[in-house]
Structure formats: structure tokens, C-alpha cells
Amino acid sequence: MACPILVLESEEAQLFRKAGLLDSMMMYSRNPTNIMSWIRPALVLLIYSNATLVSAAETLKSYYAHPVQVDEFGVIAPWHDGGNGPLDERMRIAVEVMKRYPWVDRPKAVMAAPDFVYNSHWSIQSDGTILIPPTNDWMCGDLSQRAWSIIKGLTEYYAYSGDPIAFTYIPITAEYILEYAQTPNSAEWPNFPIATPTQGKAYGKCDPTARNQLDLCAILGTEFLRAYRLTGNPEYFESAKHWGDIFAEKCRLDPTLPPWSRYADPAVVDWSDELTGSCTLILHFLDDLIRLGHTGKNQAILVARDTGQKYLSDVLLPEWLENDTWGRNYWDWDNPVMCGIVSMCGDYIMQHPDTFPRWKTDLRNILTLIFNRNGADPNSRGDMYHGAWAFPESCTCCGTSLSYNQYTAAPTLLHYGFLAKNERMYEIGRRMMIMACYDSDENGVVKDGLYGDPVATGEWSNLAHPWPLCQVTEAMKWAPRIFAPKRENHIIRTTSVVQSVIYAKGKIAYSVFDAPDQTIDVIRLSFLPDRIAADGLDLVRLSELSQNGYSVEAVDSGDYLVTIRHDGARNILITGPDPQIQMDDRKFEFAGQWLKVDEPAAWNGTLSVSEQPNAECTHEFTGNQVRVIGSVNTHGGQADVYLDGQKQLTLIDCWCPVEKNQHVLYTRSGLENKKHRLRIVVRGQGNLRSQGRRISIDAIQSSHQTGDRDFGQGRGPKTAQRMIFGYPGRQDYIDCHGQAWRPATEWIIRSGYGNDTVEQAWWTERRSIYIGGTNDQELYRYGVHGPELWINLTVGPGDYYVKLHFASTPLHTFLERNSEGGRISHTMDVAINGQPVLKAMNVDKEAGGRFRALIKSFEPITPRNGAIEVRLQGCDQQGASIQALEVGLLTPNDGSG
């Protein structure tokens, strides 16, 4: 019998696809004024084909910008050869783009700043040249999200690298918001941030009548507090306190209603004003204020925070399957379907495990439900690729732009896996993060389209670089053993904010904003430290950090992962036999006019300084990594960098509103381990804010130490995984053997553009109470259905058994009678890893009747590309369905996956 294939495109969509326009236009589908809004919702057509069901989890020859690389198990691996790792490589490209980004000044703009401060509209040429197209107010609308990426990403990057770029771009961003993006004092929300300025003059003062979205206003509050911790500027703290007081004043205390609306003025939009799961962004901001000692008048901020937490716990989390629980958070359209905000919600919940005692199961369910929901649109191709999940922002956006949600989801999955000690979730996040880092060429062109084209990133600069930087640094926090560079020195994670850091040879000195109880830092080092001191007092090496001290774990390639607890102490010093080489500026080759300047804060007390155009500084080194160390201040200028004769796609900028010495001006890792020649050429100019043009060089660091290129290969869960399809419970079902069954979420059905898979394909209500032939009837009372669907199971190496659980539980959902009045049989084909295992299986017949359990077992099953795919396709109008599934090693290693 021929099996049905589902076609889910309108006639208009097919025409656009034939013209090659559909994927590139999908990015605009959030803007109601553009052409994609003319395309009618996809028509679901059921036709028949003689196609044989053999598909397995997708594998392409390349993803985004690079040909695919795989490990020995066929799982996606980093595309580049450097020992610094995929995340460090992606960080470098993002920061280099930000450093060379064009600036704008008066009269076009209200102040001198990099153009990305004002708008996200950009384009980039194949040689790395960045252009700013004519723009409009709409492209300014992601102000809060750009500020989030800039402040969070650069703050984390400073701690990681010692590059002072954070102290240049963060104050400029904050200055623009304080001066030109707040409501007037007379407004209903007075002196409040205008987070989504989709009205008003571009490059100018934001119009306070714009659709000001409150969760995104809270993001600005959180980032202003981060900027305060970094810089110590009290103006940032005072502004954030005022914003928090207004949130507290406007909070609804009725437990049946959302604590806040979605907008400061709901009348500015003609769609839903209900604030959903993104209320966690407001709660995060209020928590931050409380930590800094500001609780508002009569503890109003505490009351508002507690009210919001109760709403999240009592109302939203029990409705985890509903679209409106996690949808409707885009600033530019009313997207009712699940999207990237889920990760931000998850991050908040993980910070409060006592407040949300079911966090482990709740977040496991919610964070993976997005795979099913966002894979609905056939145009997006959301699926698993070489073992890595990749999916769009939602089932209504943005075509094959699949890297954005990988960057969004992977860090949270890694965070969850780390805290919950869940290997399956950790491995899903690891693979997703590696695949996401395939998106950028060396020149800074970002190809977020699965098939190698820019989709959203071709237009939105924030999605191209600041946001990936923000998320890459977050992912590395939770996977330092896997993703931190090998044979280098980096602060990876801290519970505070690093305000100053110097990475010298054999000496790392840093200070943090504060050090309350349980202050923990994690550093990956290329050497075993011989001394760690906190505020001048030596810390003791401990096996458990129940008090101040440090622990050391040897990791691969001769590195060490050091965890430091330093409650009450803000200044940390680490020393030891660092293998890197640090060469003083006295030993460089110079051409043109250079001065030797005494500077006590410099390494060895001197700097080489020049302002002369085309003056050069040259140094040869042998190794695979190099860093230029120097000083920055208000008189700093710019210089170009050449490596082995090739001009680098970045620049050295020694301007900074605060003076910093022994800081990183240029860095490059992942080089071929050989002799290199580094040349610095003075431009004789500064940026639009600089009072001078001075280049100040202090030292050059390099290393020829090598590490392996294993970034987690061979990982994955080997414990048994059991799941019930359509199961709506927040907690696992425990069967008669004491085994846990979770809701099944990691599966795909192409239900169509904009369609809710839960509504259309899940049976979330019991279809029958009685199920014969089983002691666990609950396994068979739910289910999922559709013409074709497939399950992607993330697993580790080994041989597995697969058990598929079926039951025919007919309701009016399926056609019950044929034209002669007889009952229609339920038949389907099943394939595992592309190999047919069942052909036209009749569930009624195999089970011995309806309302009876049927188990089909298969073994041995060897994973393909680190996964097991089970694909079901209906052979009649009833389509395919399944009730439950279990998979496990043939050599049992039972437990919860």
C-alpha cells in the first residue's frame, strides 16, 4: 500500500520557494508590514506516494558556513583545527567584528558611538567590510536586546580575556539609554526605559509612545546593574533602583492575574497584552536589586518579587504545555507560539531551586518541548543533524535560520545538565553549541541559514555577533572541561563580576565587585598553581569547599580546573609555573618614531608609545597563540595588526574612558604551531571619542604548548530512557517496576507553518481508562498521531534495544468507518535509523483487538551519528501513532535518562 506524504505549503509559499525567496523572506515574518504577511497559512494537503520510509536523522555535507566535521562516532565536531576550541574561536570573531564596526556621530546621531548602539541594521561584504544600509525606526526596536548582548557579553568577555573593550562600549550604550531612551517625568511610567523604540527618529531620542514591553525593560535594569558592578558608576545603580521601584508600584497583587501586563501602555498594540513566562525577566531584575540591598519602600520590591514567583509557580508552570505559557514575548509581533524565551525562564528557575521544588522535571520538560513545537514548519527544516538539534525561533519564524535558537538554548541545557547531573541534557547542549559555532566565516559573515546563507543575520547585527558572544560565554561557564581553551589561562565563571584582571606570565590578579557568602570562581589554567591568595591571605587547598579555600582538578592536555571560594575577599592572586612566554617591549623591533615611557603599572615598568602614522612594532614568536599587552586611556589611538603578512580583520584601539594597564589589546589562538611574525602599524588617529592617537605597547605573550582536540566526543547517555507520548504530567510516571517514564518531547511532526503541535498531534487527555494486556495501563492512555512523525533520541556509543508501545484507542479524531460502514484498520510503517523494521503493521490485529497494549522490540540497534531515530508513517487515513517508547543498552545500565 502506498503511504501518505504530507504537503504543507500554500500556493503562494510554493511560488516563493521556486523563486528562491522563501527562506530569505522568512526572517521578516515577524513584521506585519512586509510581504510574508500576505502568505496565507499553509494548506494541509494529504496525497499518496510510493515513497519507501527509510529516512534517518538528517546529515548534510555542510552546516551554515562550514563543511561538517564529525568525531569517530559520527557526531558533529568542531569545524576548525585549533586547540582553543569552537567557542573561543567564535568569541574572537564576534569581538573583532565589534571592534571594527563603523562609528557614527553628529549630525546624523545624537552622540558619537558604534552604529550598533543605535540600530541592528547592517550588511557585511566578503572581505569583512561592514556597511550600514539606510535604516528605519523598526531596526532600532531591539534596543533592550542589543544592550543585553553588549553589556552581558562584554562583561563576561572581559573576565575571560582581560580585553578592556567592555569599558569602552558598555558606558557608551548605557549613556545613550539614560540620555535618549527614557520616558519623561510626566509619563505614567515616569523616567522609565524605552526598551523597544519602534517609533521616533533613528539615531535620535526615542519616542515614549512606542510599544514599550515590560519584560524587556527589566532586561535593561538587569544589565544596568551588571554595568554598575563592572564600572562602579553609581548613576547606573540609581537608575535601576528607580525602575525597580516603579515595577513594584505597578505590580498587581491579585494571585489570579499576571503581576504585570505585557506593555507599559497596552493601547499601543492590537494584540494580546498578557505577560507570560517572560515575567521571569522582571523577577530576575528585582532579585538583583534585592541582592544589592535595595528592597523598595515598605519592602515593595520584595513583595512584588514574591508575587511574581507565586504566579510563576502556581499558574504558569502547571500549564507548561500551553502555548501562551511561553509565547508572546517578541517585541515586534504577537507570536503566540513557543520560542527562545524558554531558556531565559529556565535560567531564572535554576537560580531558585527551593522556590521551585519541581525544577528538575519542569525544566527538563519545558526546555525540550521546544524541539517538538518549533519543528512544525516544513520550511524551517528544524530537526537533528549529525546528532545535534537545530530549530528556528518558532514555528512561524524564521525559515532555515537555525543557529539563533541553538545559541539561545544550548547554554541553558548545559546549565541544567550541570546542576541536575543529567548527562542527556548536558550532551544535547554540547552538540547544539558545537553546531551553532559553524555559523560564522573568518571574515565575520554569519550564515545562520542551515544551507549556508544569511537569513536573519544578514539584516540583524545583534543576532550575528553580540548575541552569540553573550551566549558563548554563558555556555563555557557550565562546560569548562569540554569547551575552555587548552593550554591557556582564563577565568571561566564567577558568582560576582570581575572589575579588573591582569593575565601575566605565571601571575593572574583580579578583583571582583563583591564577595558575599558562597562566592565561587572557576578558572582553567595551563599550570598547577603554587599559591592562591585572597586579600593577601593564602588560601588552603581543600577537597570540599565548605569554607574559603580552593580545589584543583587535573583535566585533559595538562591543564587544571581550579575552583576558588573567597567569601568576604575581593582580590585574588594566582601564581605558578606558567609555560607561556612573555616578551617585554624592549626586545621588539621598531620602525618610525617610538618613545620609551616609564609607567610603574606596566610590566617591567615601561611602555613603547607612538602616535606617528605608519610607525611599526614587530615581533617573531613560535607557537599557536599570541596576545598583545598594552595600556589604554582617554588619549588612546588605533593601530592595524598583521600576522604573517596578512592584515587582520580587527584593530587595536587604545582608547578607554578609564586607564587600564597590562591589558589585552589583541589576541589570537588556534594558530598553526610554528614561527609567526606579528606586526603592529600605527594609524595615527583615534576613534570619534578619543582625545589623542597614542598606541601603548607593553609586552607580547605566546605559547607553543599543545593540547588534544577532544571536545567531548563519545559522550551521551547510556542509561535507559523511557517516555510516554502525549503525557501532560509535570512529574514522571512510575511504573509497576519502579521505573520512571517522562513526557516525550524530542520528536518531530511537520504539522505546518504556525501550527501548534501539542494541539494538533498530542492526545493529552486519556483516550481510554481500560487497556488490556499490561500491568501499566497509564503508558497507553495517551499518544501522538499524524501522517508521519519521528523521534530523535540522543544516546552514547553502544548497542541498544528499542521497545515501541502501541495501543489502538480510537475516538472521533480518526475516521472510524469506511464507505461500506466497516471499521478502518490502523496500519503504519516503522523504520529505525533508516532501516525498515515494520511494514504496514496493523495495530488492532497485532494487539489482538482494540484497547489492548502492543509492544514491538528490536535489537541490537547501533546509534547513527550519536542518535537513534524512530520514524513512523501511516499507511492509511488514520496515519501513524505511538503511545510510549523505551530504549536502553543491551548490557543494562538502568536509571533515569
Side-chain angles (χ1 to χ4, degrees):
M1 178 182 291
C3 292
I5 302 294
L6 196 63
V7 177
L8 301 118
E9 286 190 354
S10 65
E11 294 178 4
E12 295 95 328
Q14 294 177 40
L15 291 174
F16 281 122
R17 180 174 297 286
K18 290 178 181 178
L21 298 175
L22 186 58
D23 287 340
S24 62
M25 290 168 55
M26 287 299 293
M27 63 173 287
Y28 294 112
S29 62
R30 301 194 310 208
N31 185 340
T33 64
N34 64 64
I35 195 168
M36 276 305 297
S37 65
W38 304 342
I39 299 180
R40 294 194 304 268
L43 303 175
V44 179
L45 305 175
L46 194 63
I47 62 175
Y48 286 88
S49 167
N50 291 318
T52 303
L53 192 158
V54 295
S55 299
E58 294 277 7
T59 58
L60 303 178
K61 292 183 178 179
S62 63
Y63 300 119
Y64 311 135
H66 297 280
V68 67
Q69 299 291 323
V70 297
D71 63 23
E72 64 176 292
F73 304 101
V75 177
I76 195 163
W79 61 264
H80 71 106
D81 295 329
N84 56 316
L87 275 65
D88 180 83
E89 189 79 358
R90 188 62 177 88
M91 265 190 229
R92 177 185 64 82
I93 294 171
V95 171
E96 288 186 351
V97 166
M98 295 177 76
K99 285 185 174 182
R100 71 174 188 269
Y101 214 91
W103 282 48
V104 63
D105 199 356
R106 291 185 174 93
K108 182 178 181 180
V110 291
M111 67 181 198
D115 203 283
F116 59 68
V117 169
Y118 295 107
N119 86 100
S120 266
H121 209 178
W122 86 319
S123 66
I124 184 169
Q125 297 179 320
S126 59
D127 64 355
T129 300
I130 299 169
L131 302 175
I132 308 300
T135 192
N136 54 42
D137 298 339
W138 197 265
M139 300 303 293
C140 309
D142 66 342
L143 174 61
S144 59
Q145 293 165 312
R146 278 181 282 127
W148 180 4
S149 302
I150 293 165
I151 298 174
K152 183 178 189 298
L154 292 181
T155 298
E156 303 286 2
Y157 183 70
Y158 173 66
Y160 172 85
S161 67
D163 187 326
I165 184 176
F167 295 93
T168 63
Y169 289 169
I170 289 175
I172 292 174
T173 302
E175 177 187 345
Y176 175 65
I177 291 168
L178 289 179
E179 293 294 328
Y180 304 103
Q182 290 196 92
T183 61
N185 189 52
S186 59
E188 171 126 7
W189 293 65
N191 300 318
F192 200 69
I194 303 171
T196 47
T198 54
Q199 300 177 40
K201 178 188 173 186
Y203 299 100
K205 189 171 180 63
C206 300
D207 188 332
T209 64
R211 55 182 66 165
N212 209 16
Q213 192 165 311
L214 295 180
D215 50 0
L216 299 181
C217 294
I219 283 177
L220 288 178
T222 297
E223 294 313 314
F224 264 65
L225 292 177
R226 193 188 311 273
Y228 164 62
R229 291 179 170 106
L230 175 73
T231 66
N233 188 333
E235 186 178 9
Y236 303 160
F237 189 26
E238 292 304 314
S239 297
K241 287 194 292 185
H242 171 69
W243 301 342
D245 289 340
I246 296 178
F247 267 118
E249 177 189 334
K250 302 286 188 180
C251 180
R252 300 189 190 98
L253 302 182
D254 184 340
T256 65
L257 296 173
W260 298 274
S261 296
R262 184 177 175 187
Y263 298 95
D265 179 9
V268 298
V269 295
D270 56 359
W271 53 61
S272 170
D273 181 44
E274 183 173 353
L275 184 67
T276 59
S278 61
C279 70
T280 54
L281 302 179
I282 301 175
L283 301 180
H284 188 282
F285 171 44
L286 300 182
D287 272 340
D288 241 7
L289 285 170
I290 293 167
R291 174 176 170 172
L292 288 170
H294 182 69
T295 57
K297 184 178 180 180
N298 297 323
Q299 307 290 298
I301 289 178
L302 271 171
V303 172
R305 190 277 312 270
D306 292 346
T307 300
Q309 286 185 341
K310 184 172 177 59
Y311 184 77
L312 178 60
S313 177
D314 296 352
V315 178
L316 295 180
L317 286 175
E319 298 177 354
W320 69 279
L321 277 174
E322 298 298 320
N323 254 332
D324 273 355
T325 301
W326 312 112
R328 303 190 191 279
N329 70 286
Y330 283 115
W331 60 268
D332 53 351
W333 72 319
D334 189 38
N335 183 355
V337 294
M338 198 171 195
C339 47
I341 196 65
V342 175
S343 292
M344 294 69 159
C345 299
D347 289 332
Y348 179 78
I349 290 171
M350 282 186 282
Q351 294 173 10
H352 299 275
D354 295 336
T355 304
F356 306 101
R358 294 181 174 182
W359 70 272
K360 287 186 180 181
T361 52
D362 279 337
L363 290 187
R364 181 205 59 198
N365 298 342
I366 296 165
L367 294 174
T368 55
L369 177 60
I370 198 170
F371 303 163
N372 177 254
R373 273 220 162 102
N374 290 20
D377 180 15
N379 300 320
S380 74
R381 306 299 299 172
D383 207 341
M384 179 181 280
Y385 295 89
H386 277 102
W389 280 98
F391 45 87
E393 293 181 44
S394 75
C395 63
T396 56
C397 180
C398 295
T400 61
S401 174
L402 303 191
S403 68
Y404 169 77
N405 236 347
Q406 288 177 304
Y407 279 120
T408 301
T412 304
L413 292 168
L414 290 167
H415 188 183
Y416 176 91
F418 176 85
L419 293 182
K421 297 180 173 55
N422 187 304
E423 185 182 13
R424 179 177 65 91
M425 298 283 275
Y426 199 83
E427 176 65 2
I428 292 172
R430 183 192 75 88
R431 297 180 189 183
M432 289 177 66
M433 201 71 228
I434 289 176
M435 184 174 172
C437 291
Y438 272 63
D439 68 333
S440 182
D441 280 329
E442 174 67 28
N443 58 14
V445 175
V446 177
K447 300 173 180 176
D448 58 315
L450 180 67
Y451 300 107
D453 55 320
V455 183
T457 56
E459 196 87 1
W460 296 89
S461 63
N462 182 42
L463 298 185
H465 291 293
W467 178 248
L469 172 67
C470 180
Q471 293 303 96
V472 162
T473 54
E474 183 68 21
M476 196 178 289
K477 289 181 183 180
W478 309 109
R481 294 171 183 82
I482 295 172
F483 285 141
K486 304 169 192 299
R487 313 307 289 145
E488 298 186 24
N489 304 320
H490 297 280
I491 298 171
I492 303 298
R493 183 172 80 243
T494 175
T495 54
S496 186
V497 170
V498 173
Q499 291 187 309
S500 67
V501 60
I502 294 175
Y503 289 99
K505 174 179 169 59
K507 178 182 175 182
I508 300 172
Y510 66 95
S511 301
V512 296
F513 169 77
D514 60 0
D517 187 42
Q518 294 288 332
T519 296
I520 301 290
D521 305 333
V522 177
I523 302 98
R524 180 156 175 163
L525 299 174
S526 61
F527 60 90
L528 178 65
D530 55 25
R531 181 187 180 215
I532 298 181
D535 282 354
L537 299 177
D538 287 0
L539 296 177
V540 178
R541 182 172 175 177
L542 303 170
S543 57
E544 294 185 7
L545 296 180
S546 57
Q547 60 186 22
N548 281 5
Y550 71 94
S551 63
V552 176
E553 176 190 354
V555 291
D556 61 274
S557 303
D559 290 348
Y560 296 89
L561 202 62
V562 179
T563 304
I564 305 172
R565 178 171 176 178
H566 54 99
D567 302 356
R570 296 178 51 243
N571 305 294
I572 305 299
L573 175 66
I574 304 171
T575 63
D578 189 347
Q580 74 174 326
I581 298 167
Q582 183 155 328
M583 191 67 63
D584 190 64
D585 59 292
R586 295 186 182 95
K587 298 185 179 180
F588 302 160
E589 299 176 20
F590 295 95
Q593 185 178 4
W594 289 82
L595 297 176
K596 295 297 180 185
V597 176
D598 292 334
E599 172 52 68
W603 194 59
N604 287 341
T606 64
L607 293 171
S608 294
V609 177
S610 179
E611 297 182 352
Q612 183 187 53
N614 299 317
E616 296 186 7
C617 168
T618 305
H619 176 64
E620 288 189 348
F621 67 94
T622 298
N624 52 37
Q625 55 185 270
V626 64
R627 279 165 286 281
V628 177
I629 308 300
S631 296
V632 296
N633 52 49
T634 56
H635 289 78
Q638 298 175 334
D640 293 314
V641 182
Y642 293 80
L643 188 59
D644 298 332
Q646 182 175 357
K647 186 177 180 180
Q648 300 296 284
L649 290 173
T650 187
L651 56 83
I652 286 175
D653 194 338
C654 289
W655 176 80
C656 188
V658 293
E659 184 172 356
K660 296 284 183 180
N661 295 288
Q662 296 192 56
H663 275 54
V664 174
L665 305 180
Y666 169 79
T667 182
R668 183 70 185 266
S669 297
L671 300 171
E672 188 177 351
N673 204 6
K674 65 176 186 178
K675 181 176 284 189
H676 300 277
R677 185 175 180 84
L678 181 74
R679 184 164 62 101
I680 300 168
V681 181
V682 179
R683 288 187 173 184
Q685 67 182 40
N687 67 39
L688 293 176
R689 291 200 171 209
S690 179
Q691 300 174 26
R693 54 185 186 179
R694 184 183 307 161
I695 297 297
S696 302
I697 304 299
D698 191 355
I700 289 180
Q701 298 171 349
S702 63
S703 177
H704 55 76
Q705 299 291 309
T706 59
D708 63 50
R709 293 198 64 254
D710 178 8
F711 293 97
Q713 72 171 2
R715 296 177 59 93
K718 296 185 179 181
T719 52
Q721 300 185 52
R722 301 181 180 89
M723 60 207 71
I724 307 174
F725 292 85
Y727 186 61
R730 292 170 64 186
Q731 297 293 100
D732 292 347
Y733 167 70
I734 307 301
D735 68 16
C736 63
H737 301 292
Q739 299 165 335
W741 296 72
R742 68 176 187 263
T745 51
E746 300 105 307
W747 61 279
I748 297 290
I749 183 168
R750 305 293 193 203
S751 59
Y753 176 86
N755 287 340
D756 178 5
T757 55
V758 173
E759 179 181 315
Q760 295 196 1
W762 292 43
W763 291 316
T764 57
E765 296 182 1
R766 293 183 176 95
R767 292 168 57 79
S768 176
I769 299 300
Y770 169 78
I771 301 292
T774 179
N775 292 324
D776 282 295
Q777 298 180 64
E778 188 73 355
L779 300 182
Y780 303 90
R781 289 169 174 156
Y782 308 90
V784 294
H785 64 95
E788 183 181 22
L789 56 96
W790 57 97
I791 305 106
N792 294 323
L793 299 166
T794 302
V795 294
D799 288 331
Y800 291 80
Y801 67 85
V802 174
K803 292 184 180 179
L804 309 180
H805 297 251
F806 303 96
S808 180
T809 54
L811 289 176
H812 65 275
T813 305
F814 280 166
L815 300 176
E816 297 291 337
R817 302 278 176 177
N818 59 26
S819 57
E820 288 76 33
R823 291 194 301 186
I824 297 176
S825 298
H826 183 192
T827 59
M828 70 185 84
D829 291 347
V830 179
I832 300 179
N833 286 348
Q835 299 300 313
V837 294
L838 294 171
K839 184 67 175 176
M841 179 188 67
N842 185 314
V843 177
D844 289 3
K845 181 178 180 181
E846 295 279 345
R850 298 192 173 189
F851 304 105
R852 294 190 60 82
L854 170 65
I855 301 175
K856 289 292 185 179
S857 299
F858 308 94
E859 61 180 59
I861 301 297
T862 302
R864 177 175 175 178
N865 306 117
I868 295 175
E869 184 209 69
V870 179
R871 185 173 291 255
L872 301 92
Q873 188 167 295
C875 294
D876 50 51
Q877 289 177 305
Q878 292 197 78
S881 66
I882 186 171
Q883 274 66 36
L885 180 151
E886 58 182 310
V887 60
L889 278 176
L890 286 176
T891 301
N893 182 15
D894 202 3
S896 176

